[in-house]
Amino acid sequence: MSMLYLDSPLKLQDVLQWARPEHQRLVRSKIHQLRKLQLLTEEKGSVLLNTIFQEQLRNALTGGGDFSSFGVPDSGARDAHITAARLSRYAGERWEAMLRFMVGRSANEAALPALSDTVQRILQSSGLMDRGPDGLRITNSGFQFLLQDSAAQVWTVLLQYLRLAEEKNMDVVEVLNLLFQLVSLQLGRAYTTAQLTANQQRMLSELREFGLVYQDDPSGQRFYPTHLVTTLASSGHARSSDNGGTGPGQSELTKSSEHGYIILETNCRIYAYTSSPLQIAILGLFVRLVSRFSNLVTGAITRDSVRQALTHGITADQIIIFLTVNAHPQMQNRTPVLPVTVTDQIRLWEQERNRLHPTGAYFYKDFEQRQGFERVFRYAQDIGVILWANTEKRQMVVTRQGHAKIAELVKGQRASSAQTPSAS
C-alpha cells in the first residue's frame, strides 16, 4: 500500500527498511511472490508496482471509474427482518443440505434434501461424487472434502463452478468479476442487481443454491451476501459473526471437532454424543449404527461396515483421521488417541480387500498337439512372460507385453502345421 501512489521505482533496500531486521527475510519472500504474480517488477535493484494493477487498485479503493468493485448498495428501504444472524442460519442450512446430500446418498438415508441440477453437476464434475449403479455416491475426494473446514470447501466449489462456467461458454471475466466482488461485500447489507450482466444474474441465482447469497425474492432486484462468501478473504477461518452466527470455518461438522464427540472402545464399539443428522450420516458410512437417542448414537465398526466404506473410495487412513479429529476430550488426552487394536484392525480390513490387483494378460488354450504347446511354453519361459500354466491341459497365461512375441511364434507354427491354438 505504501507503493500504491508512487509512480517512480523504489530502491529494494529502502523497501526492506520498512521492516525490522528479523522480518526482512519475510519481506523478500513476499516480494518474490508478488513478482511471480506479475504484480511487481524488479529491475536494477529497484521495484515498481505493475501500472495496470496500480491504476485498478486505486480506482477500487477511491471509487474512481465505473467499476462497482465493492458492489452497489441497494437504495431501497432496509428489511429489518434480514439480519446477520438470519443470513448465517440460512447459509448454514443450505450448505449443510449439500453435505447431507453427499453423505445421505451413500448411507441410504431416507429423507434427503433436494438439490438443484447445477449443484449435483458440480458435485459430480469435481469428483466429490460419482454415479454408481444406485445413483450418485460419495467418493474418496468427497470424504476428504468433508474433513475440510467450510472456507476450504467453499473455495473448492467456487473453483469447480469456474470450470463449469467455461463449459457453459459463460464469460470467465464476468464470472471472476462477480466472485471477487462478492468476497469484498459487507455481511448484512443489501446490494442491487441492476449493475450485473445477464450472466452474472444467472450466476447469482445458482450461487443462491449453495447458500453463498440470499434473495428474499428470487426475481427481485437485490441480494444479500452471506458469511460463507464475505469472509473467504479473511485470515481467520474459525470466526463467528457478531450476532452469534456460524463462521466460515465452523460448519456443523467442524464445530463439534473443536471439543469432540466420539468415544471409541477397544472392542470397536462407538458412542457419539451428537444429534446432528450430518454427523450421524457420516458415521453411517463406516459404522454399523445400533441405537439412537436424543443426543447419543451407538454403533460398532465391523468388517462389513468398513468394507462398505472402502467400496465408496474411503480409505482406512481417512476413517482413522476422522475419528481422531472428532475424538472426545477424554480420548484426546491419551497417547495414542485411538486404541491401537482398532486402528490396526481397520488397516487389516483394507489390506484384505486390496490383496488382489487386476493385471492384463492373455490365456492360451486348445493346442491340438503337445509338441506345439511345449515349444510355445518353453519359449514363453525363456523370455519370462508366463504368469500361470497347466501343462496337463495345455493351457497357459502370459503377460500383455509377452503376447505379441508369443503370437508371432504361433503364426510361424501355423505356417508349418495345421495347429491353431486360440488366445483370449
Side-chain angles (χ1 to χ4, degrees), residues 146-194:
L146 294 174
L147 298 178
Q148 297 174 342
D149 59 65
S150 296
Q153 292 175 348
V154 173
W155 276 119
T156 300
V157 169
L158 290 179
L159 289 174
Q160 188 56 40
Y161 184 88
L162 185 60
R163 298 188 187 98
L164 188 62
E166 291 178 327
E167 296 177 5
K168 292 181 177 179
N169 295 323
M170 296 172 66
D171 190 340
V172 179
V173 175
E174 292 183 359
V175 174
L176 287 173
N177 180 275
L178 181 59
L179 288 179
F180 291 136
Q181 186 180 136
L182 290 174
V183 170
S184 64
L185 299 184
Q186 180 180 345
L187 178 65
R189 191 168 189 177
Y191 294 86
T192 181
T193 61

Side-chain angles (χ1 to χ4, degrees), residues 386-400:
I386 290 183
L387 297 175
W388 173 87
N390 188 325
T391 56
E392 295 297 327
K393 296 182 179 180
R394 303 175 191 174
Q395 296 174 347
M396 66 179 180
V397 178
V398 301
T399 63
R400 182 179 296 174

Side-chain angles (χ1 to χ4, degrees), residues 217-233:
D217 181 6
S219 59
Q221 295 296 312
R222 64 180 179 182
F223 69 94
Y224 299 81
T226 68
H227 72 275
L228 287 176
V229 69
T230 58
T231 49
L232 281 179

Side-chain angles (χ1 to χ4, degrees), residues 250-280:
Q250 290 182 308
S251 67
E252 187 177 344
L253 179 61
T254 55
K255 275 192 300 182
S256 60
S257 300
E258 297 178 356
H259 43 77
Y261 63 97
I262 294 176
I263 291 180
L264 178 62
E265 295 182 337
T266 54
N267 59 0
C268 295
R269 294 279 297 179
I270 273 189
Y271 301 89
Y273 292 91
T274 179
S275 58
S276 164
L278 174 61
Q279 293 166 1
I280 295 172

